[in-house]
Amino acid sequence: MAPKNKTPKVGTAEEAVQCIKSGDRIFVQGMAATPSLLTSAMATHGKEARLEGCEVYHLHTEGECPYVAEDCEGIFHTKSFFLGANVRKATQEGRADYVPIFLSETPLVFRKGVIPLDVAIVQVSPPDKHGFCSLGTSVDCTRAALQTARTVIAMVNKNVPRTHGDGIIHYTNLDHIVYHDTPLYTSHSKPGAASDVAIGNLIAEHLVADGATLQLGIGNIPNAVLAQLKGHKNLGIHSEMFSDGVLPLVESGVVNNSQKSLDRGKLVSTFLVGSQALYDFVDDNPVVDMRDAAYTNDPHVIKQQQKMTAINSCIEVDLTGQVVSDSIGTRIYSGVGGQLDFLRGAALSEGGRPILALPSRTNKGRSRIVPTIAEGAGVVTTRAHVNYIVTEFGIAYLHGRSLSERATALIAVAHPEDRPHLEAEAQKRGLLGKLSRRKAPVVAATAAVPEPIAA
């Protein structure tokens, strides 16, 4: 964002948030860049000034979330585009709300004026010698919020990495500056369960080709996939986010972005969450290109990458291929995010592979492949969008398959102890028909063969 002919006000967090008035619509930057000092000051100001009817918008945020506490009810009403653990309980109790939206379209609701913003609260790097700050680890829809908000409050923090791309903003675009140095939020992956490792092995061996461009989220399954890619060649990254699992592959040259159709040589993302080592890696690194979510998650951009391989997770899948990803029954758990953006883009890519991965059972032993989705659950990915479903027991290919063929393939990759029940339920629904008289087709095959691949 180009310089403006004004000078920001410099002060404390308490002074900066005085500009927030009743009825304001406020955006808060999220993920690792969550400006907690400012949101705490905002919550205190709201109570002391007896504000009413303020709306707060954001993606997943980290740390405490004081503005969704019970004593802020009526002052702030949060509308999350993607739920983090810190707002999940308040949302499920009705004290906060959820906006189902593709990540690719989150910047558009600000730019089109669907959600006009009064205040944007962000965290940025110190200005360089030319006066430009960086949004660091979180560009996503934050850039659009800065472009459209009436007032911008920024915490300037020396620990925010200076990233290249769309997150560059001149300090004169900031209305209030608060100087405060604090470490960014970090996330450290835990050792994956045996099922996660098995899923990672299947995806890496059968579905990731040399020269592929990858989209991987955070979590045990993506890390398990990345850990198995050491023998691959010329991989690229075009993703809504990446984490520490990518670093060893960059260092070894496995990920070099040399075969990408777009942004060749660049590792493209819209936000980052990981360890301090990840933040050190992206700091002033011209290979890392942090872009607006309207670009990274645009299916029309994604489909231009040859061999685009999108790996996403989900909560449950029914026997027809309907995928639940944002809710557990009626309880909203996370969000739509970029799942369908990337699944659709990868499906349209030459040699692309849209993948959904999930352990066959929950931690409590309940099958995640189900006869019908739970009552009240939301379908994020329709049965028509699904291609590959991967569990630790194999890979089911559903695209172009009938309901009977889908049920047969999904039962084949469910937990063995759950298969008899699933088959009986499928029989009741008439999903199997004559197919029930033969065993489900499970073959040892390459991903080029559209049949279930046995683990």
Side-chain angles (χ1 to χ4, degrees), residues 8-20 35-42 44-45 48 121-122 151-156 175-181:
K9 297 178 181 178
V10 178
T12 66
E14 292 72 22
E15 292 168 339
V17 298
Q18 296 300 311
C19 66
I20 298 174
S36 295
L37 177 75
L38 297 178
T39 56
S40 294
M42 178 182 75
T44 299
H45 167 60
E48 291 179 347
I121 298 177
V122 299
T151 303
V152 177
I153 303 172
M155 186 173 90
V156 176
D175 297 289
H176 298 271
I177 288 179
V178 177
Y179 288 97
H180 181 72
D181 296 327

Side-chain angles (χ1 to χ4, degrees), residues 12 41 56-57 62 115 117 144 183 197 210 215 220 233 271 320 426:
T12 66
V56 182
Y57 294 88
E62 295 287 351
I115 302 174
L117 292 174
V197 175
D210 287 342
Q215 176 248 339
N220 292 333
K233 299 177 181 178
F271 69 88
T320 71

